Every structure is written in C-alpha cells, then in structure tokens.
Amino acid sequence: MDSKYSVVEFLQDNKSSCGYCKTANSSHSTGMWAYTMTVEDYQDLIDRGWRRSGQYCYKPIQKLTCCPLYTIRCESLNLKLSKSQKKILKRVGKFLVEGNTSKKQEGESDSDSASEFEPRCEIFEKHISSVMDQKANQKIGGLMEVDSSACGISPNKPEVPSRVEKSEDKSQKADIKVPHSPLAGCSEKSHSPGTPKPGIGRDLSKPQCKKAKLLRLEKKQKKLLEKGLPVASVLKKDQPSEKSLEDFIKEYSIESAVNKLELKLVRSFPRSREFDESFAEELSLYQKYQMVVHHDPISKVPEQQFVRFLVTSPLKPQQKIRGNPSQLTTGYGSFHQHYRLNGKLIAVGVIDILPKCISSVYFFYDPDYSFLSLGTYGSLREMELVRSLNKQSPQLCYYYMGYYIHSCPKMRYKSRYNPSSLLCPEVYSWHPIADCQTKLNNNKYARFNEDPDAVCENSIIFLNEVLILHNSVAMSYGTYKLRVIGTSESDDEEVRKYGELVGRQCAERMLLYR
C-alpha cells in the first residue's frame, strides 16, 4: 500500500448508553474503522471533532447526543500554571529530593483533576463487533500488491474501549489556618473591634519590621542552604515573578536527590524493541490501575483488550510530514511515555505525536503513588514535551486533551489548563473556553462562532472527487459509479455524509473502502 494513503471504512451511526449521565440509548455517534492512517489526516480529523480509540475512530453527533463532547486543546507555549498545578509540581519535586511524605500528603490526591472515563457501553460494543464479524475474513489489497499487514488490518474484532480518555485523580484542599487576631483577649470596654487602638505610631528608634513575604523568602533560602541545595536568587528584584513549567521541573532535578524519576518515550506501534521489553510490566501496571481506580475485575482487562485499546494504532510512523522541512528526532505516530521511579515503572502516558500537537489518548499509573497527583503531573509533563518538540517543529504547539463535557461537572477540570480553547461543532473554528462556558451554562449544545453566516468551506465537498478503494484499486467516486453496476442514491448519500464529516481535504486524500 502506498504510504501516502489512509484507508478507512465508514460505519453506520451508533446509539448507546451514555457513560456520563447514565441514560440508556442517549449517546449518538458516527464510527469509522481506520485500517491505516497518516498523521496529517488524523490531525485534520481531530480538528473536525474526531477521536480514535485503537483503530476505531468516532465523532459525536452533537445535536442528538445527551452530553455533547467538545474537542479541547491547550496552547502549551503560553501555559499559565494555576496555584494547584504549581503545588503538584512542588510536591513531586520535594518527594524526589527528600524522599519522604507526610501523612497529610499520603491521603491527598489531585484537586486539579477528576477521574474521567466512559463506562463500558455494551450496546456500542455489540454494534461494532457485529460489523467486524462480517468483515473478519476480508482483506484490503494494496494499490500495487495485496498486503493486509501493510494496511494495518488485524484479523481480530475491534473492541470499543470502556474508557477513551485519560484518567486523573482528585485531591482534598488543605486546611486553612486562621491567623491569631492581635485583638484577642482585649475587653470590650478597653477597645471595641471597630475602633483603632490609640497610639503614637512606629518607634523610630527600632528597625522597621520586614514584610511577611520577604521573611518567607529568607526562610526558604535558609532551608535550601542547610540541605546543600542550589539557592535560587529569590530575593533579587530583577527576577521574573512567574516561573515556567521547565523551571519547576529543573529546580528539583539535582544529583543529590533521594529518588530519581526518568521519562522515556518509546514507540508503541509498530512495537519497538524497548516497548516489547517492558510490555509485561506495562500490562501489569494497567491491570492494577483499572482494578484499583476503576474497580474492574481482572476478567475485563485481559491482555487482548489492552493491546487493542492502547497499543494497536492506525497511525503510520513518519519522520517528516508534507509541507514541513522540519524533522522530529522522535518522529510522528503513536508512543508510550514511561515514568520510572528508581527504575520502577509507576506511570504510562499514551500519546499520539501529530503535525500540530500531542494528542493525549490515555494515562494510567500505580495507585500506590496517588499522593503525587500523577494525573495532573502527567499532563504537565506532556505539555513540557510539546514545548520541547516545538523547538524542532514550530507548528507543533498544542496539547489536545480529548473532549470537554460541560454538562458533566467531573469533566470540567480540563478548563483549568490555561489558555484553552474549544472547537465550534459547526464551523470548526477555535474559541476561548471562557467565552464558550457562558453559552454552555444556558444550553448543553452551542455553536461558538457568533457569525451566523460563517460556514466551514472544508465541509463543502465535490461528491465525484471523493477517493474510493475498490478491488485493490484507488479511484474517484465518479469513476467508481461508472465501473460498478448497481450503485444507487443511497450510495451517494452515504459517501456525501462521509465527505462532509471528514472534510473535503481528507475525503480527497483518504481512501474509502467499498
């Protein structure tokens, strides 16, 4: 199969139980099975509201589904860390340097995120399984040679995962201590709370008291000196007030640290040697995470489900992309990012590296380390990777977090990564999330583009120009209708619907299997 082509099969719409509001048969989506796909095509698809889970691609039908899902992305280069995100970075850093945790920390989890998952949709699974049962023995031939492996066709039936996005953990707010009042103990007769105590002002013979902020900075500097750690010039007036994400990470990356945390990116598909060497360790960690965090029995997280959900991918590995002379040292495609603490695997981030972004697929971790808030920490480290790759390819600057569901409170944590934007479901333009939330407070479904006349030109397709793969030969749909006897108006309607959903550019680049 020519490497420049994606090969997909369009599936009928699906209706299933909602994993968020728990309503039966209220979640509507359109499905597509991707045998093989270029990273450019997948980038264009997620910019039109599509997502992948294994080789299965899906797009919510926003106006029909009970809980509309909006694509969300963060501008990683302009990331503004929240107070809670800074606390998590410091917590992990102190754990690495000092190696101990207080009882309070052990009971804490992530306040900046919530557990996000889509429970297993039995109806949805049966729908996809029944479709692929009929096609289990079919093979799509190449344009030059028939080679099912080159197309990424698997003889296994696809399994729609029970969860399609990364999970994160919750945390409790620290207790707020009320400072001792200087008026405590004073009688009402001698001094009323609303009247200032009479006096003659500051004693000029004594030095002026330092501000509390300055005292805290001096105390912090003294502690760092006592531990033999590098002292940041926190007292210099010319120091920037805001530390970057990299500053927080580097501050605790010292040789004398008690614990060593190493991050390594390994290609998961096609499976690299490094991935195969750690496969058993990954599988064990995934099963432990699903059983402890999501309460799945071991029977629901077999090796086959793990492979189809988080390992198998339609994305082709690429070093370069069309129209971009830049070349990433990592390459493009599907990867697993390993988090190893003193050599032990404690977390895995499943990601796709695409032309404009890193797309988060899933994240799982060892529940024994939940006090480190690894869900949020993993998101921040993936944004750090975006910022690093941006130096090699300037157009790669976004971090896609999957879907934002405003009607589901536990999903709103994604809006805390700033600055973030949501994708308009009609015009496919990007809009600041704060503006979108105002509209979503009134209606579950909203068009974010305020220009009523605005349309997406990429949604206007030329039916006869849609590419088709038939009998191992690529052709336009116009040619297909001339060659194949028995085409009908229903064929036109299906191909037109496919073209409008994937967009004209993808429809004229990808091969639609028929």
Side-chain angles (χ1 to χ4, degrees), residues 329-348:
T329 54
T330 60
Y332 299 89
S334 298
F335 297 84
H336 284 195
Q337 189 167 39
H338 291 173
Y339 295 68
R340 290 191 176 275
L341 181 65
N342 302 325
K344 176 186 177 182
L345 187 68
I346 65 167
V348 175

Side-chain angles (χ1 to χ4, degrees), residues 63-75:
K63 290 185 177 181
L64 297 180
T65 196
C66 53
C67 298
L69 297 86
Y70 301 94
T71 302
I72 181 172
R73 74 181 185 185
C74 178
E75 298 177 25

Side-chain angles (χ1 to χ4, degrees), residues 72-73 401 404 406 412 414-422 431-440:
I72 181 172
R73 74 181 185 185
M401 297 176 277
Y404 172 80
H406 190 74
R412 296 186 187 180
K414 294 182 180 182
S415 63
R416 298 172 193 165
Y417 294 95
N418 290 316
S420 291
S421 303
L422 296 185
H431 303 268
I433 193 168
D435 298 341
C436 302
Q437 287 175 323
T438 302
K439 295 183 177 181
L440 294 175

Side-chain angles (χ1 to χ4, degrees), residues 281-327:
E281 195 176 8
E282 263 205 50
L283 175 60
S284 177
L285 178 63
Y286 171 73
Q287 291 173 332
K288 180 179 180 180
Y289 172 80
Q290 295 296 128
M291 289 188 291
V292 175
V293 177
H294 296 297
H295 312 293
D296 279 348
I298 187 64
S299 60
K300 285 195 175 182
V301 284
E303 177 181 333
Q304 187 179 30
Q305 188 256 13
F306 171 70
V307 170
R308 289 190 292 200
F309 176 23
L310 297 177
V311 179
T312 305
S313 168
L315 299 183
K316 302 174 183 178
Q318 297 175 229
Q319 290 299 125
K320 290 185 178 182
I321 55 176
R322 291 189 293 260
N324 186 357
S326 304
Q327 183 172 340

Side-chain angles (χ1 to χ4, degrees), residues 447-499:
R447 170 190 168 118
F448 303 137
N449 193 309
E450 296 184 351
D451 182 358
D453 298 324
V455 295
C456 178
E457 295 183 359
N458 193 34
S459 297
I460 303 173
I461 67 163
F462 303 102
L463 186 61
N464 288 338
E465 298 300 319
V466 175
L467 284 186
I468 303 294
L469 180 65
H470 179 66
N471 288 340
S472 304
V473 179
M475 62 190 75
S476 68
Y477 184 63
T479 303
Y480 171 81
K481 289 194 294 183
L482 294 175
R483 291 189 179 186
V484 178
I485 300 174
T487 57
S488 61
E489 292 184 1
S490 62
D491 292 304
D492 291 353
E493 292 175 2
E494 181 179 331
V495 174
R496 180 179 290 106
K497 179 180 178 180
Y498 156 80

Side-chain angles (χ1 to χ4, degrees), residues 126-396:
K126 291 177 182 178
H127 163 69
I128 301 301
S129 296
S130 63
V131 172
M132 298 313 297
D133 274 338
Q134 301 171 9
K135 304 180 182 301
N137 297 321
Q138 289 185 359
K139 293 185 178 180
I140 296 181
L143 300 183
M144 302 296 292
E145 298 178 358
V146 177
D147 183 1
S148 61
S149 62
C151 294
I153 301 175
S154 171
N156 298 323
K157 295 181 295 183
E159 176 175 325
V160 178
S162 58
R163 299 165 181 89
V164 295
E165 303 186 17
K166 76 163 49 174
S167 297
E168 301 188 348
D169 38 320
K170 299 180 181 178
S171 79
Q172 302 171 350
K173 295 182 179 178
D175 294 336
I176 301 175
K177 296 182 179 180
V178 180
H180 177 70
S181 171
L183 302 179
C186 295
S187 64
E188 293 183 5
K189 293 181 180 180
S190 61
H191 181 68
S192 63
T195 306
K197 188 176 180 180
I200 57 175
R202 183 175 70 87
D203 188 349
L204 298 178
S205 64
K206 296 180 181 180
Q208 186 175 359
C209 294
K210 294 182 179 179
K211 292 184 177 180
K213 181 179 180 180
L214 184 60
L215 290 173
R216 289 196 300 269
L217 292 175
E218 289 180 344
K219 185 178 180 181
K220 179 180 178 182
Q221 193 176 46
K222 183 179 178 181
K223 284 185 177 181
L224 292 174
L225 287 171
E226 290 175 351
K227 294 178 181 179
L229 302 178
V231 180
S233 54
V234 293
L235 301 181
K236 292 184 179 180
K237 295 182 179 180
D238 58 346
Q239 184 188 8
S241 57
E242 289 292 330
K243 290 197 294 186
S244 68
L245 174 59
E246 290 77 10
D247 291 336
F248 279 99
I249 295 172
K250 291 179 181 178
E251 183 175 352
Y252 297 96
S253 301
I254 58 175
E255 291 296 327
S256 59
V258 175
N259 295 308
K260 303 290 184 183
L261 180 64
E262 297 179 332
L263 272 65
K264 186 176 183 181
L265 197 66
V266 297
R267 186 176 288 280
S268 56
F269 195 85
R271 293 167 63 154
S272 62
R273 177 180 58 82
E274 293 87 353
F275 178 81
D276 282 335
E277 290 175 352
S278 61
F279 177 80
E281 195 176 8
E282 263 205 50
L283 175 60
S284 177
L285 178 63
Y286 171 73
Q287 291 173 332
K288 180 179 180 180
Y289 172 80
Q290 295 296 128
M291 289 188 291
V292 175
V293 177
H294 296 297
H295 312 293
D296 279 348
I298 187 64
S299 60
K300 285 195 175 182
V301 284
E303 177 181 333
Q304 187 179 30
Q305 188 256 13
F306 171 70
V307 170
R308 289 190 292 200
F309 176 23
L310 297 177
V311 179
T312 305
S313 168
L315 299 183
K316 302 174 183 178
Q318 297 175 229
Q319 290 299 125
K320 290 185 178 182
I321 55 176
R322 291 189 293 260
N324 186 357
S326 304
Q327 183 172 340
L328 294 183
T329 54
T330 60
Y332 299 89
S334 298
F335 297 84
H336 284 195
Q337 189 167 39
H338 291 173
Y339 295 68
R340 290 191 176 275
L341 181 65
N342 302 325
K344 176 186 177 182
L345 187 68
I346 65 167
V348 175
V350 183
I351 61 174
D352 292 329
I353 299 181
L354 305 176
K356 297 180 183 178
C357 72
I358 282 181
S359 174
S360 172
V361 178
Y362 204 69
F363 190 89
F364 56 96
Y365 57 87
D366 190 334
D368 293 342
Y369 296 89
S370 60
F371 63 90
L372 293 177
S373 302
L374 290 174
T376 294
Y377 184 75
S379 293
L380 295 173
R381 292 305 299 260
E382 288 172 3
M383 289 193 202
E384 180 205 17
L385 180 59
V386 172
R387 292 155 71 104
S388 174
L389 295 179
N390 173 263
K391 297 176 182 178
Q392 301 176 36
S393 178
Q395 69 172 340
L396 200 164

Side-chain angles (χ1 to χ4, degrees), residues 100-108 371:
N100 59 350
T101 59
S102 65
K103 291 183 179 180
K104 182 178 179 181
Q105 281 182 323
E106 288 175 355
E108 285 184 348
F371 63 90

